[in-house]
Every structure is written in structure tokens, then in C-alpha cells.
Amino acid sequence: MSRPTDTPPDRDQAAAWWRTGIIDMAPDRIRFRGCPVQQLIGRVSFVDMIWFLVVGVMPSPRQARLAEAALVAGVDHGPQAPSIAIARMAMTCGGSLNNALASAVNVLDDVHGGAGEQAMMLFQDIRSRLVDGDDLARATEAGLAHWRRRYGPIIPGFGHRFHRTDPRAPRLMALVAEVAETGEITGQVAAIAGEIERQLAAAKGRRIPMNIDGATAVIFSELGLPPPLGRGLFCLSRSVGILAHAWEQQQQGGRNKGPLPKGWLWQYDGEPPRDCPPV
Amino acid sequence: MSRPTDTPPDRDQAAAWWRTGIIDMAPDRIRFRGCPVQQLIGRVSFVDMIWFLVVGVMPSPRQARLAEAALVAGVDHGPQAPSIAIARMAMTCGGSLNNALASAVNVLDDVHGGAGEQAMMLFQDIRSRLVDGDDLARATEAGLAHWRRRYGPIIPGFGHRFHRTDPRAPRLMALVAEVAETGEITGQVAAIAGEIERQLAAAKGRRIPMNIDGATAVIFSELGLPPPLGRGLFCLSRSVGILAHAWEQQQQGGRNKGPLPKGWLWQYDGEPPRDCPPV
Amino acid sequence: MSRPTDTPPDRDQAAAWWRTGIIDMAPDRIRFRGCPVQQLIGRVSFVDMIWFLVVGVMPSPRQARLAEAALVAGVDHGPQAPSIAIARMAMTCGGSLNNALASAVNVLDDVHGGAGEQAMMLFQDIRSRLVDGDDLARATEAGLAHWRRRYGPIIPGFGHRFHRTDPRAPRLMALVAEVAETGEITGQVAAIAGEIERQLAAAKGRRIPMNIDGATAVIFSELGLPPPLGRGLFCLSRSVGILAHAWEQQQQGGRNKGPLPKGWLWQYDGEPPRDCPPV
Amino acid sequence: MSRPTDTPPDRDQAAAWWRTGIIDMAPDRIRFRGCPVQQLIGRVSFVDMIWFLVVGVMPSPRQARLAEAALVAGVDHGPQAPSIAIARMAMTCGGSLNNALASAVNVLDDVHGGAGEQAMMLFQDIRSRLVDGDDLARATEAGLAHWRRRYGPIIPGFGHRFHRTDPRAPRLMALVAEVAETGEITGQVAAIAGEIERQLAAAKGRRIPMNIDGATAVIFSELGLPPPLGRGLFCLSRSVGILAHAWEQQQQGGRNKGPLPKGWLWQYDGEPPRDCPPV
């Protein structure tokens, strides 16, 4: 039996294997989520575009303002952060900026880049308990208890090993309050985060203030994102600092930059000198 | 001889090994290039912040508008681009979004992510010949000849293997013209790029129109950036599409996504079946 | 108070921050786990060295033979595997072999590279139940039930989506049996794996034979490794195939290799053509 | 016109897009370069398999011995090497061993992992001048002059910033001499390297002895490899140390390990405190 040559089923199957709703393309035509690229360029901001492409909707100006603030806040925390140190070391090894970005963004994993995502999980779990009719204090208690049973004692988004009060968090929360007043976000997640802070302080006898991960988790949750995108967007944000440091290092020069100044050595704490074991 | 304990030379040496002008930090205080982070949050756009951190200066609104357009334009070119395909495949292998971003951004190397940087090298080389007093046509001729001798026949930033006219380029160049009229950029690099286009058409007998790499190279050069940052900023831009596709793939599901539909195989063109050579 | 200048506490603290028992170095001297490097070179095999450095002990010849077989078996599973496809695509983007290796090894994550580690967890959990005095059938039942409750229905190390009988597994298990007869390994984990296979077949009414991940998990467990090193050693093994394919692709040429042949496109299944939403 | 449904040209085209001579597969059958995998397992060493897969030929026992020595020699140079430091830092960020390997192997680029490849380029360039009939001293002189003109004053493979005599190089060269006596390698590249050492010493008035990159470049060139594989094989070798250190760090624990001890800070050398510029 013949097959019409203009619609080959195999090629269709291959096309379907790579199907996407993000981009449609034909010669001389690129559309993102249905919209011609030339309409987007010069009209939407970079943050609008991030939202449109990743989340799938065009944010309102006030939503974009919050997203923008969260992205601005997380760009860098200095070269003692492994991501930044890695970017600087990578640039002295001979690769290009894309390679330094890759080695560095790669380590924004559960511990270094996951706190925001984890705080979103916690906040959204508590929010789902509110939907079930519980009041804020009880839902928060239950959510915290559940978190500790499942993931251990660290409550993500609160406390900081370096700052007593993370200067980024209060500023971000002020912006959240501003937008909540307009009704464009509900402020419910901000209230949850505030209640967590209150309960942590009551339990510990001292403030464990919200940090940047908690504050951005409030923003991203208020804006309706699922937790994994909290990490994804943090990666975009931190990529800015990674790029800045990689480029600065490039200009400083250096070859094979080690973690300690040239000539310093590590401490060896293994087997004493010995002959090679027989094989 | 004694050493004052409050300024240990060793620790100073270690601090100097990691010196930076990007970020200053003390408990409860973060300053980027001298400015308190809480002043930046909610006040500057994400693109302002990218510029401030990476380039080192705060852009004017019109400069930011051009930078924003360039960053918006490059976010994605579909899953046939290796960077995007890799992100989608990576997400089915069990890692997180940061890992998918890393494997994908890593391949924005000379061939896949370097055309913008290369176009900036070409444009800026021609610009330096103008500064030496040459006229535009002659400087461009000399610059093109130099490029071909050194790097081969491909002129970066012009022509596209898929689009006859890359729909992003004319829109970006229109924005460049707008801002050039205000005097905030000189328009000199745009003129160089236009002259290259003219000379390529004359030589080939058909238009080889500027593509997105050429147009963003014009923008970044007009804004005073050195070529490597063209690649660096493209990496930030394409990271958006990489993230969008990785996340979409996550939602589509799949395990160990191969390049071809499940059950398809590659063609083997090597040695015929044989016994293992003796060792 | 003075501080002796020959033992600066700060520098000691920095040295301790990077302490290691793997390598000791001074000018003209390198010792691995206490042994001079020049004694190791030309005397121990690459697999001996892998074991010595990673695991910390020099394997006996028979142990090395098993480790060698496991490392040989996992080198490659063809370009439909994401790791291999990524390596080939990466090489057409302009980077070097180290970059292609990085993007590819990165995806040997829980789903693509974690089955061996997971099988080791399962086997060792069952083994620990045996130590508690249970008999093999009951310990295996309990272990399988525990696994399913905690991680879901997939039993790692058994079954293959492509092969009915993975040709690598029986060969590896024959080597395990050989060495078990000499008494250098106990064969206990091999027995556990056999019992799992028996119970899976009884439950499903058809054989779900052990695959390469199961067989290498038996070997690495018999050799006393903790589960994460199962993944680590698989990464070393698969790096060989990744390198071979990246290099072959380099010789084939190509620029920006997409997953489908040049000119093929993906299927767009998103929003219909529309104007850009207002911002 | 009809198309036979059992040989769809589209699927053939897709198969050809991913063609390879490395691996042939069908259900229950895997052949590497024509040989059944089950014949290779338990019969060839890991180094044989590396050679067979990557280079394409099965090495003789003496060739394998040299390759083995080169792979053993390069596994680790301690945590001041960026690759090793990155692996250790990465493991404290929450990812798995595959992720740490990726971030670390990625930086084995031109400066950190390319010296062996570069030494191979130099040696093979000099060898090609010998083939043209020149004598060793003159060919070496010409090769060194050519190298300096093209790549600058650093001669790859000689001298070390830490060791006066790299203890790995003489041991490797002794093995080369052993095998050269049997006639299985010519020893020609070893002679070239010796002549370079002689000319460097004559020019500088002091020995600039061959380092490990020079010695492995001799071995890989004597074994007939093209320069890029020198870097590729070094990546396999160094992956062993990377894995060992990542695993050791995992056992030491720690979260977000920075380059300096906890609480130390970097030196800020940028703009003094100031208000945020207007935007």
C-alpha cells in the first residue's frame, strides 16, 4: 500500500518525540507561545519574557515587579559561595564563560540552591492545610511538624549562618506587602511565612528571621509557581553573579587558581609513608 | 618578633587571593559595587542589575532598553538546537533543573554560542580601523579580508541556515536606529554592520542578511562591551529557553529520553561481526 | 603576645580546611595514601589505582579482576542513551573533549546512572536482614516489600526495556561465581540477587532477568563498596564510551548537531498564533 | 508512487544521522567494534577496553602497559588543583557524584588539562620535520621556534611551578625506554622530548625538566594517538582523583564548602560605599 509522501508517519513520530508548546518555527517565522518574536522584542521586559516562556503566562506589571525584585536580590553572595568560587577558578583553567557558568550553576543543587524550592514546598503544604479549613496557627504548626518528621530539623527559608538579619528579606517582604494591598496577590503565603517566623521565635526564645530564600519563596508562591521553578529562577538570578565573577577573574588573570594562595598546601591526614602494597 | 593578632598577614593573603570589586559583605550588610542591596531591590530592573554587576555601570533607560531587547530576542531557538535538546534529555535522567541548565549552557561554546562574540570582534576590529581615519567602505573591506585570512570564510552574524530573513534581526536593528537618533549610542557599529551586509551582497550577488548574532553584536558593541561578554550575555538569555524546555519536559515525563523515538536505533557502520582480538 | 612565625595558625586552619588522606605532596614528592607515586607507576594496573585511590585499599588480583569486568561491561550503550547523545551533540558546538565529558557525565543521575547504586542499596538492605538471622527467602521478601513501600514498584537491577536477556549480566555473574569458589568473596550478595530474580519470576509468571546494573551491583557489593560508589564507578566506566563517541563525532564533523536530521522540525502543540498579550 | 513499509527512508535517515562504528546493538546483542561484549568482559583489561573503544584498536600487552602507566600517573595532584577543589566543593552542595565529576572534569580545559595535548602537538610537529629529512637538533630547533612564534614562550610539557623534578616523569620515561628496546615503539618521540630538554637547558642555563604532561605526551605520541586524545585520556585519568576526593569530602561532611575556612572573608577592592545610581 502506498503512503502519501508529504506526510511521512515516521517523520511525524520523530516530530512528536520533540513536541513543545513553547516555540513554533518555520522559515522566517518564530513564535513563542503563539506570539511573533518581533512583537515581543522591544515591548516586553526580560523578566516578562522569563515569565512568559518558563511559567507560560505574561505577568501583570505588579507581578513582574515582584518577580524582578526576587531575581535582583539573589544574584550574588560573594566568592565564599561554592558557585561563585567555582566560576572564578574555572575561568583560570582555559575555558570560556559558558563553561564557567556550567560548572558553577551545576552546584546550585539541594543544599546550595534548593532552600527556596524547599521553603516553597513548606509554605504550599501549609497553604493546602488552610484550604482544608484550618486556621493559620494550627495549619502552620501541623506543617512544621510534618516537615520536621519528613526532612529533619532545618526549616528552610529562616536563619542565616552569616547574617543575623538578611538585609534582602525585609526589603522583599515590604514589596510583597505593597502588592498585596493592591489585591493582585493575596498575601496568604506572606502571612504563612510570618506565622512560621513567630512560631520559630517562640520555640527558640530568639528570632530566627526569614532569609532571602524564605522571601523569594513567598514571592514565587504568591505568584503561583510550583516549587521546582523556585530553584530554576534562582539559577537564572545567580547566573548573573556567576558571570560577573567569572569575567572579573578573567580580567584579573591567573592560571589554575587554587582555593588557597599560591604555595599554600593542604594538610595530609592519611596513611604514613609506606611502600606500595603488593599486587 | 610579635605579630599583631588583629591583622594576621596569612588571613589577609587569603582574603586578597579572593579579592573582588563586585560584592562587599559584613554581617547584615551586602553591597554590590558599593551600593546597599536593599536600595537596588525594587528599584532597578533585572537587566539594570545584570549590567551593573557584569559590566560595572548602571545603564541609562535607553541603554537598558537595547540590552533588554537583545536578551529577550535570544531566549530560544527550539529543540533542534543542541542546547535545548540537551536540557530536555537531561531532565529525564533524574537530576534537577540546575543540572539540566549546566549540561546545556556548557555547549554554548564557540560554534553554538560564539557567533555573537565573533561578530563583536569583527565589528570592533573594523571600528578600530575607522578610528585610524579610514572610510567606512575601505575599513570594512580591510576588516573582512583580515577576518577571512585569520578565521576562514564564514562571516559571523550574517546568514542563517534556516531563515532567509531572521525575524529578530530587523526588529533589533530598528530599536538600535531609534536609540541612535537620541544620541545615546553613536550608531557607528550599526553602520559597520550595514556596510558588511552591503559588501557581502555585492560579492555573492544575493542578500546574506544580518542574523540575531549580528544584531545583538551591534547592540552590545554600541553599548561598549568587549566581545567575550557578548557570549556571556547570550548564555543568560538562552538560559531562559533552556529552563523553559527543561521544565516542560519534566511535566511531559519520560525516562532517559534518547534523541530518536523509543525503539528506533542508530545505523552501525563499523567493523563486521568478529571475535575479540587476542590480548 | 608573639606567635611563632614558622607555624602560623591561620595557614594551618586553611590547610585543615582542605585536609585529605588521599594525597601528600611536597616539592619533588607525591605520595598516594602513603605510597610514592613512582612505585605505583608501572606496577599497579589502572583498576588497582582506581580502587586504591577511591576505595582506599589495594585490591587482590581476583578482586581487581571482578572490578575490571564491571568497569569493562558498562562503557557504552549506544547513541540513544542520553549521555552518549549529549556527548556527540556537545562536540559539534565548539568545545573540547573535557566539556563534552562534563555535559554527558552530568546526566548519569538517579534515573540514567543510579540503578546500580539503587540495586546496591536493595542488596545490602537484604544482606543486613540476613545478618539479623533471617533466612534468604524471608529476608529477600522483606527487603523487596520494604523497597516497594519506600521507592515504588520498580526493582532496580532487573529487567531491561530493550534486551530480554542483557548479554552482559550472565557473563559478569559467571565471573562472580568463579571468584566466589576461591573464597575471596562470599557469594552472599550473588545469592541474594538470585533469590530476587526467583521471587520476581514467581510473582510475574515470567523471568525478569538481572541486567547490567544488577550484576555490577552484585560485584561492587561483594567487594565491600557502599552504594554511592556504585554510581561513581559507573561514571568512570561510561566516561570511556562518552569519550569514544565524542571523538568519533569530532572526526565525522558537523556543526550544532540537533537530535533529528538537518531540516526536520519538532511538532508544536501550544497556543495558536496570537498577538502578544499586553504588558 | 508507493514506498515499501519495511524500509522507511525517513527512519533510515534518522538512523544515519546517529551512525557510529563503535557499537552495534539488537535485542540481547551488544557488539563493540564488531566484538560481542560477553567476549570482552573478563578477558580484556579496562585499559584495553579504553583503547579499543576510543582509539579503535586492541593494544598489545606492552602498549597497554605504557598506556596504563600514563593513566595511573595522572590521577591526582591534590586539592589545590582547581579540578579537585571543585569536586570537593560540589559534593557539599547537595548533588551526586556524577554532578561533582561533571563540574570538575569540565575545567580540564586548555590551561588545566591541555598541556599534554599541546606537548603532543609540539612533539608531532617536530616529528613531521624529521620525516622531511631534517636531523633531530635542527628539527627540534625549528619546531620550538615555530611553537614560540605561534603560541608564545611557554613550552608545554617542561618545567613545573611546584616540583623541581616531577617524580612521575622519570619513572614514565624509564618505562618508555624499556618498551622502545623491544621495538614495539620507535622511541623517536622520546628522543625528540630529550632533545627539547637539552635545548631548553642550554638556552636557560639550568634544567627545565620534563613534567608529567611531557612524559604522557611522549607515551601517547609513541602509541600513535592524535593530540586531542591526550586531553581526553587525561580526563579519564584525573576523573579517578576527582571521584576519590568527592567521595572523601562526602564522608567528611560539610555544607556549601567555600574555598576558605568558615567565617573568613574575601577582600573587597571596588567602589567605596555609595548610594545606588539613579535609573
Side-chain angles (χ1 to χ4, degrees), chain C residues 179-198:
Chain C
V179 177
E181 269 175 36
T182 68
E184 279 213 46
I185 58 170
T186 66
Q188 195 182 32
V189 182
I192 289 168
E195 177 61 18
I196 293 175
E197 209 175 31
R198 206 194 53 73

Side-chain angles (χ1 to χ4, degrees), chain C residues 32-96:
Chain C
F32 291 120
R33 300 196 178 281
C35 306
V37 66
Q38 63 273 28
Q39 276 194 19
L40 293 159
I41 296 171
R43 182 172 182 179
V44 305
S45 77
F46 189 40
V47 169
D48 290 334
M49 190 68 186
I50 291 171
W51 224 252
F52 191 52
L53 221 66
V54 177
V55 184
V57 295
M58 194 61 80
S60 75
R62 287 201 186 92
Q63 290 169 336
R65 179 166 158 72
L66 283 184
E68 194 121 41
L71 287 164
V72 162
V75 289
D76 187 16
H77 203 251
Q80 271 284 72
S83 50
I84 301 296
I86 286 173
R88 298 191 74 112
M89 292 164 71
M91 274 320 277
T92 68
C93 295
S96 299

Side-chain angles (χ1 to χ4, degrees), chain C residues 124-143:
Chain C
Q124 296 182 18
D125 171 62
I126 295 175
R127 185 174 57 187
S128 73
R129 292 167 194 273
L130 281 170
V131 169
D132 296 348
D134 216 339
D135 77 356
L136 180 60
R138 265 185 297 162
T140 301
E141 250 171 74

Side-chain angles (χ1 to χ4, degrees), chain B residues 88-126:
Chain B
R88 298 191 74 112
M89 293 164 72
M91 275 319 278
T92 69
C93 296
S96 299
L97 289 167
N98 54 305
N99 307 128
L101 273 159
S103 278
V105 168
N106 205 28
V107 303
L108 298 176
D109 222 297
D110 289 2
V111 173
H112 189 24
E117 176 178 359
Q118 291 147 20
M120 289 172 77
M121 289 165 64
L122 171 64
F123 296 166
Q124 296 181 18
D125 171 61
I126 295 175

Side-chain angles (χ1 to χ4, degrees), chain C residues 88-254:
Chain C
R88 298 191 74 112
M89 292 164 71
M91 274 320 277
T92 68
C93 295
S96 299
L97 289 167
N98 55 305
N99 307 128
L101 273 159
S103 278
V105 168
N106 205 29
V107 304
L108 298 175
D109 221 297
D110 288 2
V111 173
H112 189 25
E117 176 177 358
Q118 292 148 22
M120 288 172 78
M121 289 165 63
L122 171 64
F123 297 166
Q124 296 182 18
D125 171 62
I126 295 175
R127 185 174 57 187
S128 73
R129 292 167 194 273
L130 281 170
V131 169
D132 296 348
D134 216 339
D135 77 356
L136 180 60
R138 265 185 297 162
T140 301
E141 250 171 74
L144 285 172
H146 173 75
W147 184 271
R148 289 189 178 107
R149 270 198 311 278
R150 179 126 187 213
Y151 301 109
I154 298 178
I155 300 302
F158 296 85
H160 201 284
R161 72 180 194 183
F162 185 77
H163 304 293
R164 275 158 315 169
T165 303
D166 184 329
R168 299 163 294 187
R171 181 71 188 109
L172 289 170
M173 293 309 291
L175 293 170
V176 169
E178 253 179 48
V179 177
E181 269 175 36
T182 68
E184 279 213 46
I185 58 170
T186 66
Q188 195 182 32
V189 182
I192 289 168
E195 177 61 18
I196 293 175
E197 209 175 31
R198 206 194 53 73
Q199 293 193 11
L200 290 178
K204 300 264 182 183
R206 60 183 173 84
R207 277 188 78 226
I208 315 284
M210 193 186 304
N211 58 33
I212 186 179
D213 299 310
T216 55
V218 166
I219 289 177
F220 293 144
S221 294
E222 291 279 355
L223 294 176
L225 300 197
L229 284 186
R231 186 189 310 202
L233 292 173
F234 173 62
C235 288
L236 292 189
S237 173
R238 180 55 57 93
S239 290
V240 177
I242 289 169
L243 177 59
H245 281 274
W247 175 241
E248 189 191 51
Q249 182 66 52
Q250 175 96 321
Q251 291 167 293
Q252 285 179 8

Side-chain angles (χ1 to χ4, degrees), chain B residues 42-256:
Chain B
R43 182 171 182 178
V44 306
S45 76
F46 190 40
V47 169
D48 290 335
M49 191 67 186
I50 292 171
W51 225 252
F52 192 52
L53 223 67
V54 178
V55 185
V57 294
M58 193 63 78
S60 75
R62 288 201 186 94
Q63 290 170 335
R65 178 166 159 71
L66 282 185
E68 194 121 41
L71 288 165
V72 163
V75 288
D76 186 16
H77 203 250
Q80 272 283 71
S83 51
I84 301 296
I86 286 173
R88 298 191 74 112
M89 293 164 72
M91 275 319 278
T92 69
C93 296
S96 299
L97 289 167
N98 54 305
N99 307 128
L101 273 159
S103 278
V105 168
N106 205 28
V107 303
L108 298 176
D109 222 297
D110 289 2
V111 173
H112 189 24
E117 176 178 359
Q118 291 147 20
M120 289 172 77
M121 289 165 64
L122 171 64
F123 296 166
Q124 296 181 18
D125 171 61
I126 295 175
R127 185 173 56 188
S128 74
R129 292 169 194 271
L130 280 170
V131 169
D132 296 350
D134 217 338
D135 77 354
L136 180 59
R138 265 183 299 162
T140 301
E141 248 171 75
L144 285 173
H146 174 75
W147 183 271
R148 289 188 178 107
R149 268 196 312 277
R150 179 127 187 212
Y151 301 110
I154 298 177
I155 299 303
F158 296 85
H160 201 284
R161 71 182 194 183
F162 185 76
H163 305 292
R164 273 158 316 167
T165 303
D166 184 329
R168 299 162 294 187
R171 180 72 188 110
L172 288 171
M173 293 310 291
L175 292 171
V176 169
E178 254 179 46
V179 177
E181 270 175 36
T182 69
E184 279 214 45
I185 57 171
T186 65
Q188 195 181 33
V189 182
I192 289 169
E195 176 62 18
I196 293 174
E197 209 176 31
R198 204 191 57 73
Q199 293 192 11
L200 290 179
K204 299 264 183 185
R206 61 183 174 82
R207 277 189 77 227
I208 315 283
M210 194 186 301
N211 58 32
I212 186 179
D213 299 310
T216 55
V218 166
I219 288 177
F220 293 145
S221 293
E222 291 279 356
L223 294 176
L225 300 197
L229 285 186
R231 186 189 312 200
L233 293 173
F234 173 62
C235 288
L236 292 188
S237 173
R238 180 53 59 92
S239 289
V240 177
I242 289 168
L243 177 59
H245 281 275
W247 175 241
E248 189 190 51
Q249 182 65 52
Q250 175 96 319
Q251 292 168 293
Q252 285 178 10
R255 289 168 64 88
N256 296 331

Side-chain angles (χ1 to χ4, degrees), chain D residues 126-134 188:
Chain D
I126 295 175
R127 185 174 56 189
S128 75
R129 291 168 195 271
L130 282 169
V131 168
D132 296 349
D134 217 338
Q188 194 181 32

